[in-house]
């Protein structure tokens, strides 16, 4: 993402009479902080993975929460993405070391070492929903992409629609993705990401406020040129998806 998900950059464009092709600085800022985004989406009615309410202040606080939730747990960078600043912790003896390593990696990658903690979902599938919003209530929601085949938290293979989901679960996830966009009057392209466990329970994970490199998978199936629609939204024109 880099500048594509930088709220200050988007605001600087607006302040200097330039049209930023993407969401509003407010949307980028609120959804870019993963802990804040979880709280926002919980208020919008999306199911959330159990975890901390915002960033944790120290490894000791994370350890106390992990004891309450039960291991394994995931440490995640509040300002993170792409697997940076993320650690799976399976034993209490490893938490302090992993907390320090993840926080340092997050500080180096994002300029912010804040961490939050959540319950690790065993054998999850990673399912993401491509969305397009016009910022005025119109939201296009496309078939989900299953991106569970990963290496070091980086997606290797994308498949759409997901072979995992039944039709009722598929409809529920798409409805929740639309609900997430409506909650913040979302404009431009984005991706609402979910974790799905072995029992088909699903949880909101994060929302990427940009077009992702995986978007051609959706374009090939839907026939919609997502970047063209981003330009339409930025120009104040109606979407033609």
């Amino acid at each position: 993402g880099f500048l594509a998900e930088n709220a200050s950059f988007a605001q600087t464009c607006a302040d200097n009479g330039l049209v930023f092709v993407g969401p509003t600085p407010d949307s980028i800022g609120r959804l870019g902080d993963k802990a804040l985004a979880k709280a926002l989406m919980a208020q919008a009615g999306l199911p959330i993975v159990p975890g901390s309410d915002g960033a944790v202040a120290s490894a000791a606080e994370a350890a106390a929460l992990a004891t309450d939730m039960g291991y394994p747990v995931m440490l995640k960078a509040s300002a993170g993405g792409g697997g940076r600043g993320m650690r799976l912790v399976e034993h209490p003896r490893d938490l302090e070391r992993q907390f320090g390593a993840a926080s340092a990696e997050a500080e180096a990658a994002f300029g912010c070492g804040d961490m939050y903690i959540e319950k690790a979902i065993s054998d999850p599938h990673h399912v993401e929903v491509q969305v397009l919003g016009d910022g005025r209530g119109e939201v296009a929601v496309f078939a989900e992409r299953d991106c569970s085949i990963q290496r070091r938290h980086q997606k290797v293979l994308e498949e759409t629609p997901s072979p995992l989901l039944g039709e009722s679960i598929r409809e529920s996830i798409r409805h929740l993705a639309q609900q997430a966009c409506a909650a913040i009057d979302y404009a431009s392209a984005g991706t609402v990401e979910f974790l799905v466990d072995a029992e088909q329970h699903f949880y909101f994970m994060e929302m990427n406020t940009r077009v992702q490199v995986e978007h051609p998978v959706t374009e090939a199936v839907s026939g919609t040129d997502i970047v063209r629609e981003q330009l339409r939204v930025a120009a104040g024109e109606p979407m033609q998806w």
Side-chain angles (χ1 to χ4, degrees):
F2 298 109
L3 291 178
E5 290 185 293
N6 187 310
S8 296
F9 177 75
Q11 186 62 57
T12 298
C13 288
D15 292 344
N16 287 275
L18 300 173
V19 176
F20 178 76
V21 180
T24 65
D26 180 65
S27 291
I28 296 171
R30 289 198 288 170
L31 294 171
D33 183 311
K34 307 306 182 188
L36 180 61
K38 282 182 62 178
L40 181 65
M41 291 302 137
Q43 292 175 3
L46 276 71
I48 302 298
V49 179
S52 60
D53 295 327
V56 293
S58 64
E61 182 181 345
L65 288 168
T67 299
D68 290 340
M69 287 186 286
Y71 287 83
V73 297
M74 290 293 296
L75 296 171
K76 294 185 176 182
S78 289
R84 307 294 295 276
M86 181 185 298
R87 295 290 190 281
L88 173 66
V89 184
E90 299 185 275
H91 302 287
R93 64 176 179 269
D94 298 327
L95 191 138
E96 184 174 0
R97 174 176 57 83
Q98 295 284 36
F99 186 95
S103 180
E105 184 178 48
E107 180 69 38
F110 312 114
C112 176
D114 290 352
M115 303 296 299
Y116 68 99
I117 185 172
E118 63 185 26
K119 179 69 176 172
I121 305 299
S122 300
D123 299 320
H125 271 250
H126 186 164
V127 175
E128 59 188 20
V129 180
Q130 178 73 59
V131 295
L132 276 167
D134 67 357
R136 299 186 297 273
E138 180 76 16
V139 180
V141 180
F142 299 88
E144 76 286 346
R145 301 189 297 253
D146 194 308
C147 48
S148 303
I149 299 176
Q150 300 184 9
R151 181 175 182 270
R152 296 179 180 175
H153 305 295
Q154 293 292 310
K155 301 163 189 174
V156 174
L157 182 68
E158 296 258 344
E159 184 175 6
T160 186
S162 169
L164 169 75
L165 303 183
E167 193 57 35
S168 62
I169 301 297
R170 178 174 288 113
E171 289 181 5
S172 295
I173 283 180
R174 291 184 65 186
H175 174 73
L176 287 170
Q178 188 169 41
Q179 202 168 302
C181 293
I184 56 171
D185 296 324
Y186 191 77
S188 199
T191 312
V192 186
E193 308 209 8
F194 296 89
L195 289 178
V196 185
D197 67 17
E199 286 76 41
Q200 299 265 296
H201 300 127
F202 53 88
Y203 307 90
F204 170 81
M205 183 172 64
E206 64 183 8
M207 183 171 180
N208 292 312
T209 55
R210 57 183 166 85
V211 67
Q212 292 181 267
V213 295
E214 302 92 341
H215 78 275
V217 177
T218 296
E219 291 185 327
V221 173
S222 68
T224 297
D225 186 328
I226 293 170
V227 174
R228 181 189 65 191
E229 296 309 313
Q230 277 193 291
L231 293 170
R232 289 187 186 280
V233 171
E237 299 177 6
M239 296 189 296
Q240 297 183 357
W241 61 281

